[in-house]
Amino acid sequence: MADTEDDKLREEHWRGAIPLKLELHEDEVTTIPGPVPLFIHAPRLGYLPQVADRALDHFRSVLPPGNDQPWFEYKGVPLKWHIPTGVLYDLLSSGECPWELTIHFRLYPENV
């Protein structure tokens, strides 16, 4: 059994999950103070849209009116939705844990 937080994170990584910290983009927040981030595990072999429903449930109360079309970015770069989460993590992150992503529900970019 895992004794420390590092051991727990390694165990989750071995089981094929990437810990994510999702923050709603500041332009989409309609409350003060803004929402707390969502911490979630994403399957390495899955895709980011698989966590979008849970993120929408978490952030729905602070979103402006409109159609919800989720997309993710990392350090200002929109992430391709059709590339597995583990591949994106391995290519873009420097091994940070949790992987800090920004989620949007408005203004879907055309180049994703």
Side-chain angles (χ1 to χ4, degrees):
M1 178 167 269
D3 296 324
T4 68
E5 190 66 27
D6 286 343
D7 291 337
K8 290 177 186 176
L9 291 175
R10 273 192 222 100
E11 183 179 312
E12 286 299 320
H13 183 67
W14 179 254
R15 290 190 318 163
I18 297 171
L20 300 179
K21 176 184 177 185
L22 300 179
E23 294 195 69
L24 184 62
H25 191 271
E26 62 187 21
D27 290 346
E28 299 181 20
V29 175
T30 61
T31 62
I32 297 176
V36 297
L38 173 63
F39 291 88
I40 189 170
H41 284 105
R44 287 186 65 81
L45 298 177
Y47 300 88
L48 287 173
Q50 290 178 279
V51 299
D53 286 341
R54 289 201 41 209
L56 179 58
D57 289 344
H58 181 79
F59 294 118
R60 184 184 316 271
S61 64
V62 300
L63 287 173
N67 294 327
D68 301 321
Q69 195 170 16
W71 58 281
F72 299 83
E73 74 173 57
Y74 177 66
K75 294 185 177 182
V77 177
L79 300 177
K80 305 285 186 184
W81 62 267
H82 61 281
I83 298 175
T85 305
V87 174
L88 290 170
Y89 177 78
D90 292 341
L91 290 174
L92 299 175
S93 83
S94 57
E96 66 201 69
C97 190
W99 193 25
E100 296 183 22
L101 301 180
T102 301
I103 188 167
H104 298 259
F105 291 95
R106 306 290 185 269
L107 302 175
Y108 191 84
E110 294 180 18
N111 61 344
V112 174

